[in-house]
Amino acid sequence: MSEEKKNENLEKAKEGFDKAKTATADATKEIASNVGRTYNEKVKPIVALTASPHERARRSGKYLARLGISWGILSVIGAIIIAFQSDCEDYSSAYDYCRVDETYPYVGWAIGSIFANIVIASLLYAIGSYIEARMTEEPSH
């Protein structure tokens, strides 16, 4: 490859890198601007208690409903983890050996845990959805 061709390829690579750097900087500025705007428009009025009680209650209901969904999903994952735990039947500290019992003794705990947590998650979701629905409907005079 000739020296001119190498220099030409090097210049093209530099131009491409500069374009990518500029695009990345622009995208970063836009993301930062969106985060700042979201904070100023939505979060700051609630934290500063300048939002109306109606708006704060609506957003609290939405948050409570989302919390209920998250609680339910995490409780299912936790119950699955608990259900597949097994005990060490015979442990020898001298050899650092553990013979695992192939039965799963915590399945009952997992079932009880998932039942209790799903009830709690359902109540949180129902209360949050009710609050949000009541606050979003038009007031009747």
Side-chain angles (χ1 to χ4, degrees):
M1 203 180 247
S2 69
E3 193 65 33
E4 287 180 16
K5 193 74 163 170
K6 287 180 183 178
N7 288 337
E8 186 179 318
N9 287 340
L10 183 61
E11 287 299 320
K12 286 181 182 177
K14 284 182 183 178
E15 287 175 10
F17 180 71
D18 288 340
K19 287 179 183 177
K21 190 165 68 171
T22 303
T24 304
D26 291 343
T28 304
K29 286 178 187 174
E30 185 178 341
I31 289 170
S33 173
N34 288 341
V35 168
R37 188 176 327 107
T38 300
Y39 174 78
N40 285 334
E41 292 175 1
K42 296 186 178 185
V43 177
K44 191 176 179 180
I46 292 174
V47 173
L49 298 177
T50 57
S52 69
H54 187 269
E55 182 65 20
R56 288 195 314 259
R58 188 181 68 76
R59 289 188 183 169
S60 296
K62 187 180 287 189
Y63 170 74
L64 194 59
R66 289 178 183 167
L67 179 68
I69 290 171
S70 300
W71 185 303
I73 291 170
L74 290 175
S75 68
V76 168
I77 292 169
I80 290 170
I81 291 170
I82 290 172
F84 289 109
Q85 294 293 316
S86 58
D87 273 342
C88 203
E89 191 176 273
D90 182 24
Y91 180 72
S92 171
S93 60
Y95 300 108
D96 197 26
Y97 171 76
C98 175
R99 186 170 61 125
V100 177
D101 184 13
E102 291 302 318
T103 62
Y104 299 105
Y106 300 114
V107 172
W109 281 101
I111 292 170
S113 167
I114 198 167
F115 177 74
N117 284 312
I118 292 296
V119 167
I120 292 170
S122 299
L123 287 172
L124 287 175
Y125 182 77
I127 292 168
S129 295
Y130 176 77
I131 291 170
E132 184 182 2
R134 291 288 293 180
M135 293 296 122
T136 54
E137 69 183 26
E138 293 296 321
S140 58
H141 293 350

